[in-house]
Amino acid sequence: MFHVKPIDPRLLRYARATRFFLAASVALGLAGAGLVIAQAMLIAEIVVGAFQRGEDVAALTVPLGLLALVAVGRAAVSWLTELAAHRAGAAVKSELRLRLVERAVRLGPSWLDSQRTGALTTLATRGIDALDDYFARYLPQLGLAVVVPVAVLARIVTADWISALIIVATLPLIPLFMMLIGWATQSRMDRQWRLLSRLSGHFLDVVAGLPTLKVFGLG
């Protein structure tokens, strides 16, 4: 089993659709970060105006309207991100399956006989299908995780540098915990992959032996 890095260079090399999706994710991530900051500022303005200055709904009409527009904008950005993710995932899976078949044909039957059929079948089906989550969820969230904190921190620095300093001091704890979770998840996924490949091989052997069992009246 291969291990996928945060942005695996093999996907960039073998699947051209990945490059477009990464560029789209960065652009949509920037737009989403701007909308998140705008939403937070508008909510703060509405709360301060309503509870501290005692303003009524009429006085808060403009920020409330802008908040509604920002919410619609965030929904649109989320929809565009998911649409781009699913289209890129479908294109990448199709391209990878085509490359897998071309390589198997080029290497010939002797190479196929030396490989575990169950492992190859799992890789060509469920293995490549697993890229759906990689494109639809992981990469968009990775883009947001890179863009949004930087944009929010830049805004906090201009408003309250002490709070920004506290955030910068505690921020390294996040990747540390992410690394610990990733190591634990990797070992579990490796074990599940081995079990799934073994089960697929056993199932294919059983299916391949059914004609023989029928000949002897045992099927």
Side-chain angles (χ1 to χ4, degrees), residues 74-182:
R74 289 194 63 187
V77 168
S78 178
W79 177 78
L80 288 174
T81 302
E82 188 170 353
L83 178 64
H86 284 294
R87 290 196 174 184
V92 169
K93 289 192 298 181
S94 177
E95 189 172 352
L96 291 178
R97 284 197 176 101
L98 181 60
R99 286 181 175 272
L100 179 62
V101 173
E102 289 176 349
R103 181 172 177 81
V105 171
R106 186 167 60 250
L107 293 175
S110 59
W111 179 82
L112 289 174
D113 291 339
S114 65
Q115 302 297 313
R116 296 176 58 187
T117 306
L120 287 176
T121 303
T122 302
L123 176 62
T125 54
R126 297 189 61 177
I128 294 181
D129 283 338
L131 289 174
D132 281 334
D133 289 337
Y134 181 76
F135 281 96
R137 295 178 178 84
Y138 177 75
L139 281 184
Q141 293 303 316
L142 181 64
L144 290 177
V146 173
V147 175
V148 173
V150 175
V152 171
L153 184 61
R155 179 64 185 91
I156 294 175
V157 168
T158 61
D160 185 1
W161 66 270
I162 297 179
S163 299
L165 185 62
I166 295 174
I167 293 174
V168 170
T170 57
L171 202 59
L173 295 176
I174 297 177
L176 176 61
F177 288 122
M178 291 176 65
M179 290 172 59
L180 294 175
I181 294 172

